[in-house]
Amino acid sequence: MMISRTAIPKRSVVLLSRRLYSSNFSGSEGATASSKGSFSDKEKAIENQWARQHDAEKIKALHDALEQQKQVTESLQKDLNELKKTVGKK
C-alpha cells in the first residue's frame, strides 16, 4: 500500500497535460493577420510612400514628354512659317 500513496495517479497526469496544452483560446491571440496594430500601420505607410513615389515618377515622365512635344511643335511652327513666307513671296 505504501507504493500506491507515493505514485502519481494516472488521472492527475491527464489533467496536468490538459492544462498545459489547453485549446481554450479565442483564435485571435497571436494572430498577426487580424491584428490592427502598428504592423499594419507601418505596412500602409510603406505602401502609401511607394504609391506617392510611383505617381511622382509618372508625373515627371509626362512632364518630360510634354516638354519634348513642345519642342517638336515649335520646330513644326517654324517650318510652317518659313513655308508661308516662301509661298507669299511668289
Side-chain angles (χ1 to χ4, degrees):
M1 284 303 231
M2 283 264 205
I3 295 175
S4 65
R5 287 184 182 176
T6 59
I8 299 173
K10 192 173 191 179
R11 184 178 172 129
S12 298
V13 174
V14 172
L15 291 177
L16 181 62
S17 65
R18 284 186 185 163
R19 285 186 198 135
L20 292 177
Y21 301 106
S22 174
S23 63
N24 293 334
F25 63 93
S26 65
S28 64
E29 293 136 359
T32 57
S34 66
S35 70
K36 300 283 183 187
S38 64
F39 184 73
S40 64
D41 292 342
K42 183 178 178 181
E43 257 183 352
K44 286 179 188 177
I46 290 171
E47 187 173 336
N48 289 339
Q49 182 181 13
W50 176 86
R52 283 191 305 269
Q53 183 179 2
H54 184 68
D55 290 346
E57 290 171 359
K58 287 169 87 175
I59 289 171
K60 185 180 183 319
L62 288 171
H63 181 70
D64 293 343
L66 179 63
E67 288 298 318
Q68 186 179 10
Q69 189 63 41
K70 283 181 181 179
Q71 291 174 355
V72 169
T73 303
E74 286 176 8
S75 176
L76 289 173
Q77 189 67 38
K78 285 179 186 177
D79 292 344
L80 180 63
N81 289 338
E82 288 177 15
L83 283 173
K84 283 182 182 180
K85 285 180 185 177
T86 56
V87 170
K89 285 183 180 179
K90 291 182 179 180

